[in-house]
Amino acid sequence: MKRPSLLIPLIGVFCCWGLMSGCSTLNTAKPLSPGEHEVAFTLGGPLTQVGGNYIPLPNSVIEGRSGLVNVGERPLDLNYGLYLTPIAFGQMGTHIGSSYLLWDQAEHLPALSLSNRFYFFHNYFDTAKPVTGRGAVFVHQIEGTLSYEVGHFLTYGGLANYADLLNLDLMLTPFVGAELPTGLDGFKIQLEGRYYAANQHRLIESVRFYNFDSGYGGFGMNLGLIWEIGQ
């Protein structure tokens, strides 16, 4: 298997490794309690230069979260997703993970959650490529999130790290975001900004990302449409 021949299309288009691995995913700021579920469509990614302008990578994900159990009287949930954009190019991407509420919001102190997620991308179904040009990428994400909720408005921020499981390295990604009500029962909007791989200098030479002229990492924007199901 020639790993670089797989990494180039996966990195450059579908943000599944290194600078791009964060993609646009549903936030895990407040883990769901048992019996609660959410379904979401998320879109976005690092701002990439196309034709002289910077636009978010149009990576789209259909995903969900389900409350599992309470551990120590605090919720542990499961999150899972399927990446839609890569399918058009003979590639597949999924993720699965969990999040746990370390402590809840108290008066003026924010809540803190910890999430753990695994990504799996492959192009085994791309028959246009020779067998030697097919393979898989496994990425691990760990993320700590502080959040504060006022009424139906949730604001959050934190720090994530992404690592290719075959090439462990720090890809530190700070982020801030908000979950906003829409006025429709059970529907919310997520708006989020991430500075992907903020500690990495020009990680991908062939792709130009917006990085405030720092030369490090790339800034991205994500939009999520969320539907609450259950309690």
Side-chain angles (χ1 to χ4, degrees), residues 22-32 38 40 42 63-65 77-79 95 98-99 113 115 117 119 141 143 145-148 154-157 175-180 188-194 222-226:
C23 299
S24 55
T25 53
L26 186 59
N27 81 81
T28 56
K30 295 296 291 287
L32 301 181
E38 289 182 348
T42 50
E63 55 187 313
R65 293 201 298 157
D77 70 11
L78 178 71
N79 58 81
H95 75 249
S98 63
S99 58
S113 66
S115 66
R117 181 178 288 164
Y119 299 83
Q141 171 192 359
E143 182 170 288
T145 306
L146 291 169
S147 64
Y148 197 83
L154 174 71
T155 58
Y156 62 89
F175 59 91
V176 293
E179 235 179 46
L180 312 172
K188 300 179 292 184
I189 293 177
Q190 171 185 305
L191 300 173
E192 185 180 282
R194 288 189 174 236
N222 303 326
L223 168 68
L225 305 176
I226 306 169

Side-chain angles (χ1 to χ4, degrees), residues 26 28 38-39 74 81 103 116 128 132 192:
L26 186 59
T28 56
E38 289 182 348
V39 176
R74 292 185 294 274
W103 68 69
N116 192 46
T132 55
E192 185 180 282

